[in-house]
Amino acid sequence: VTVETASPSPVTADPFDQRLTAARAGLARRDAAALLIGVGSDLRYLTGHVAHPMERLTMLVLPATGNAAIVVPRLESMAAVASPAGAAGLVEIVPWDETDDPYGIVAARIATRATDAAPGRLLVDSSLWAMHLLALQRALPGRAFGLATEVIRDLRIVKQPGEIERLRAAAHAADRALDQIAHGPLVGRTEADVSREIGERLVAEGHQFAQFAIVASGPNSASPHHHASERVIRAGEPIVLDIGGTLDAYCSDMTRTIWVTGGDPAQAPTEEFRTIHELVRRANAAAAAAVRPGAACEQLDEVARRIIREGGYGEAFIHRLGHGIGLDGHEDPYLVADSPDSLSAGMAFSIEPGIYLQGRFGVRIEDIVVCGESGPDVLNEATRELLVVDG
Ligand code: ZN
Ligand code: ZN
């Protein structure tokens, strides 16, 4: 087993060998018998295998001891064989035919011996479809089930150098897409039209696909997860742009709040808006500056929240400070008031304070930040100063 060093590194078997070994060690530490991982980001993390979740079962069966296998519909077995872990021989590929019982195949691979006193728990990934879990429980009567999160969380929460470089590439691509959008024209267009353009630009800048492009103009900006609508953008109002996608399997997610004037000096930002934007900018900067190994996640939330509270808008900061990011757009750790977590070097997360005045307007500024050995590594480089756009 070698340590992944190159950045950005080609996808090789090495990280998957490491991750499977670490997952086995996690199972042993928790007296669990096996991981049962369906299609999703945990499967991708452990094996590199990517597929669409569906009614046909695809499942990594990783026992604490013994051979790992991916049980896969025969029509998808070629892709599993070609996956990094499959091609490297780290997992056996076990195809099943249309009339086979895949749950029986999984059960047989982790069958207990009559001499086993207390068979260990079986840990499934948190996004496994209920129909698959219920069928597994029928095929494995009497076995205790739990969530694979208790083993995989500790692995995925700390990013390896190759993962951080992919997050950085995704962040820079989003920076470029947002910069292009901020050049306008915006006034007179619908939110939905601008949202479509953002999606196209994220892809043009290297994303495999855009996951979301929130365009929240005027009063809509007070709704943090507003869906782009047919509302027409007018001069003299703010727009919250929250955009993200997937590049090399890793997610981007950034927000800037801009102001559009349509070229009319009478439509310049109001003093109140400038004040609120500056509060949010300071909250974002202060929280980012407080990032270091050992810092409590709840403390980071408080660093940003105190600035907004002391500015008089504490009630209007209606969500947590941020969320982890990696193969999933939202994952551990969460930067929230009651979090028991502290930062370690390699953790990646958003910092996204906001102020929302219902019926009027909102402001959010979001960056992706990695906790470095001695401080913050802010991946997004787009300016956080107020952008006043005249188009
Ligand atoms: Zn976002
Ligand atoms: Zn976010």
Side-chain angles (χ1 to χ4, degrees), residues 212 214 225 241-244 252-255 323 330 350 352 364 366:
F212 56 90
I214 294 173
H225 282 174
L241 300 167
D242 186 348
I243 73 175
S252 62
D253 183 4
M254 72 177 298
T255 308
H323 53 83
H330 287 196
S350 71
E352 49 181 307
R364 179 166 66 260
E366 174 180 25

mmCIF file of all heavy atoms in Angstrom, residues 212 214 225 241-244 252-255 323 330 350 352 364 366, ligand 1:
data_model
loop_
_atom_site.group_PDB
_atom_site.id
_atom_site.type_symbol
_atom_site.label_atom_id
_atom_site.label_comp_id
_atom_site.label_asym_id
_atom_site.label_seq_id
_atom_site.Cartn_x
_atom_site.Cartn_y
_atom_site.Cartn_z
ATOM 1 N N PHE A 212 -26.843 22.371 -9.551
ATOM 2 C CA PHE A 212 -27.847 23.388 -9.232
ATOM 3 C C PHE A 212 -27.301 24.739 -9.635
ATOM 4 O O PHE A 212 -26.083 24.934 -9.736
ATOM 5 C CB PHE A 212 -28.190 23.384 -7.734
ATOM 6 C CG PHE A 212 -26.991 23.572 -6.852
ATOM 7 C CD1 PHE A 212 -26.590 24.839 -6.474
ATOM 8 C CD2 PHE A 212 -26.245 22.482 -6.423
ATOM 9 C CE1 PHE A 212 -25.471 25.024 -5.679
ATOM 10 C CE2 PHE A 212 -25.123 22.657 -5.624
ATOM 11 C CZ PHE A 212 -24.735 23.930 -5.258
ATOM 12 N N ILE A 214 -28.843 28.292 -8.418
ATOM 13 C CA ILE A 214 -29.856 29.153 -7.813
ATOM 14 C C ILE A 214 -29.653 30.569 -8.324
ATOM 15 O O ILE A 214 -28.545 31.116 -8.234
ATOM 16 C CB ILE A 214 -29.742 29.120 -6.268
ATOM 17 C CG1 ILE A 214 -30.094 27.715 -5.726
ATOM 18 C CG2 ILE A 214 -30.644 30.195 -5.636
ATOM 19 C CD1 ILE A 214 -29.839 27.556 -4.224
ATOM 20 N N HIS A 225 -32.955 28.650 -0.563
ATOM 21 C CA HIS A 225 -32.929 27.607 -1.595
ATOM 22 C C HIS A 225 -33.970 27.865 -2.676
ATOM 23 O O HIS A 225 -34.606 26.948 -3.200
ATOM 24 C CB HIS A 225 -33.123 26.216 -0.967
ATOM 25 C CG HIS A 225 -31.878 25.695 -0.329
ATOM 26 N ND1 HIS A 225 -31.829 24.536 0.395
ATOM 27 C CD2 HIS A 225 -30.619 26.185 -0.302
ATOM 28 C CE1 HIS A 225 -30.593 24.334 0.836
ATOM 29 N NE2 HIS A 225 -29.847 25.336 0.433
ATOM 30 N N LEU A 241 -26.562 34.297 -6.369
ATOM 31 C CA LEU A 241 -26.174 33.256 -7.327
ATOM 32 C C LEU A 241 -25.453 32.164 -6.551
ATOM 33 O O LEU A 241 -24.359 32.396 -6.022
ATOM 34 C CB LEU A 241 -25.230 33.844 -8.393
ATOM 35 C CG LEU A 241 -25.785 35.002 -9.233
ATOM 36 C CD1 LEU A 241 -24.644 35.684 -10.006
ATOM 37 C CD2 LEU A 241 -26.859 34.509 -10.193
ATOM 38 N N ASP A 242 -26.073 30.993 -6.437
ATOM 39 C CA ASP A 242 -25.490 29.863 -5.697
ATOM 40 C C ASP A 242 -25.387 28.719 -6.683
ATOM 41 O O ASP A 242 -26.402 28.176 -7.123
ATOM 42 C CB ASP A 242 -26.394 29.506 -4.505
ATOM 43 C CG ASP A 242 -25.773 28.436 -3.608
ATOM 44 O OD1 ASP A 242 -24.774 27.805 -4.006
ATOM 45 O OD2 ASP A 242 -26.309 28.224 -2.498
ATOM 46 N N ILE A 243 -24.144 28.372 -7.051
ATOM 47 C CA ILE A 243 -23.955 27.471 -8.195
ATOM 48 C C ILE A 243 -23.036 26.316 -7.806
ATOM 49 O O ILE A 243 -22.167 26.447 -6.942
ATOM 50 C CB ILE A 243 -23.381 28.236 -9.412
ATOM 51 C CG1 ILE A 243 -21.909 28.598 -9.220
ATOM 52 C CG2 ILE A 243 -24.194 29.502 -9.673
ATOM 53 C CD1 ILE A 243 -21.286 29.253 -10.454
ATOM 54 N N GLY A 244 -23.254 25.176 -8.441
ATOM 55 C CA GLY A 244 -22.385 24.043 -8.159
ATOM 56 C C GLY A 244 -22.618 22.887 -9.102
ATOM 57 O O GLY A 244 -23.681 22.757 -9.705
ATOM 58 N N SER A 252 -18.455 21.233 -6.609
ATOM 59 C CA SER A 252 -18.257 22.664 -6.357
ATOM 60 C C SER A 252 -19.543 23.205 -5.752
ATOM 61 O O SER A 252 -20.612 22.602 -5.895
ATOM 62 C CB SER A 252 -17.934 23.413 -7.661
ATOM 63 O OG SER A 252 -19.020 23.317 -8.572
ATOM 64 N N ASP A 253 -19.429 24.325 -5.056
ATOM 65 C CA ASP A 253 -20.596 24.968 -4.428
ATOM 66 C C ASP A 253 -20.136 26.345 -3.966
ATOM 67 O O ASP A 253 -19.295 26.445 -3.068
ATOM 68 C CB ASP A 253 -21.062 24.112 -3.239
ATOM 69 C CG ASP A 253 -22.327 24.667 -2.566
ATOM 70 O OD1 ASP A 253 -22.885 25.653 -3.066
ATOM 71 O OD2 ASP A 253 -22.717 24.093 -1.534
ATOM 72 N N MET A 254 -20.616 27.389 -4.594
ATOM 73 C CA MET A 254 -20.214 28.743 -4.191
ATOM 74 C C MET A 254 -21.374 29.700 -4.378
ATOM 75 O O MET A 254 -22.256 29.471 -5.200
ATOM 76 C CB MET A 254 -19.024 29.236 -5.020
ATOM 77 C CG MET A 254 -19.381 29.561 -6.454
ATOM 78 S SD MET A 254 -18.016 30.217 -7.424
ATOM 79 C CE MET A 254 -17.620 31.720 -6.549
ATOM 80 N N THR A 255 -21.354 30.764 -3.586
ATOM 81 C CA THR A 255 -22.403 31.776 -3.689
ATOM 82 C C THR A 255 -21.785 33.163 -3.684
ATOM 83 O O THR A 255 -20.884 33.436 -2.877
ATOM 84 C CB THR A 255 -23.382 31.691 -2.492
ATOM 85 O OG1 THR A 255 -23.846 30.351 -2.367
ATOM 86 C CG2 THR A 255 -24.566 32.620 -2.694
ATOM 87 N N HIS A 323 -21.379 23.128 5.463
ATOM 88 C CA HIS A 323 -21.470 21.671 5.357
ATOM 89 C C HIS A 323 -20.201 21.144 4.706
ATOM 90 O O HIS A 323 -19.588 21.831 3.885
ATOM 91 C CB HIS A 323 -22.677 21.292 4.497
ATOM 92 C CG HIS A 323 -22.687 21.982 3.145
ATOM 93 N ND1 HIS A 323 -21.967 21.516 2.066
ATOM 94 C CD2 HIS A 323 -23.286 23.125 2.731
ATOM 95 C CE1 HIS A 323 -22.145 22.335 1.039
ATOM 96 N NE2 HIS A 323 -22.935 23.338 1.410
ATOM 97 N N HIS A 330 -23.285 17.708 0.025
ATOM 98 C CA HIS A 330 -23.446 17.922 1.471
ATOM 99 C C HIS A 330 -23.008 16.636 2.168
ATOM 100 O O HIS A 330 -23.582 15.576 1.918
ATOM 101 C CB HIS A 330 -24.904 18.213 1.848
ATOM 102 C CG HIS A 330 -25.377 19.582 1.453
ATOM 103 N ND1 HIS A 330 -26.521 20.148 1.981
ATOM 104 C CD2 HIS A 330 -24.872 20.512 0.610
ATOM 105 C CE1 HIS A 330 -26.700 21.364 1.457
ATOM 106 N NE2 HIS A 330 -25.713 21.597 0.611
ATOM 107 N N SER A 350 -18.064 24.049 3.322
ATOM 108 C CA SER A 350 -18.451 25.391 2.904
ATOM 109 C C SER A 350 -18.475 26.313 4.120
ATOM 110 O O SER A 350 -18.687 25.879 5.251
ATOM 111 C CB SER A 350 -19.842 25.371 2.255
ATOM 112 O OG SER A 350 -20.843 25.131 3.225
ATOM 113 N N GLU A 352 -20.707 29.670 4.608
ATOM 114 C CA GLU A 352 -21.740 30.393 3.849
ATOM 115 C C GLU A 352 -22.734 31.130 4.737
ATOM 116 O O GLU A 352 -23.918 30.796 4.772
ATOM 117 C CB GLU A 352 -22.474 29.443 2.894
ATOM 118 C CG GLU A 352 -22.980 28.141 3.496
ATOM 119 C CD GLU A 352 -23.681 27.271 2.436
ATOM 120 O OE1 GLU A 352 -24.594 27.794 1.764
ATOM 121 O OE2 GLU A 352 -23.315 26.103 2.286
ATOM 122 N N ARG A 364 -25.971 36.157 0.678
ATOM 123 C CA ARG A 364 -25.165 35.030 1.138
ATOM 124 C C ARG A 364 -23.843 35.056 0.380
ATOM 125 O O ARG A 364 -23.817 35.417 -0.798
ATOM 126 C CB ARG A 364 -25.891 33.696 0.896
ATOM 127 C CG ARG A 364 -25.091 32.470 1.346
ATOM 128 C CD ARG A 364 -25.917 31.185 1.429
ATOM 129 N NE ARG A 364 -26.405 30.694 0.153
ATOM 130 C CZ ARG A 364 -27.628 30.865 -0.317
ATOM 131 N NH1 ARG A 364 -28.515 31.528 0.398
ATOM 132 N NH2 ARG A 364 -27.984 30.380 -1.499
ATOM 133 N N GLU A 366 -20.582 32.406 -0.091
ATOM 134 C CA GLU A 366 -20.178 31.030 0.201
ATOM 135 C C GLU A 366 -18.882 30.667 -0.516
ATOM 136 O O GLU A 366 -18.749 30.882 -1.719
ATOM 137 C CB GLU A 366 -21.273 30.059 -0.262
ATOM 138 C CG GLU A 366 -20.879 28.591 -0.124
ATOM 139 C CD GLU A 366 -21.966 27.625 -0.586
ATOM 140 O OE1 GLU A 366 -22.802 28.028 -1.418
ATOM 141 O OE2 GLU A 366 -21.949 26.486 -0.112
HETATM 142 ZN ZN ZN B 1 -24.311 26.772 -2.203
#
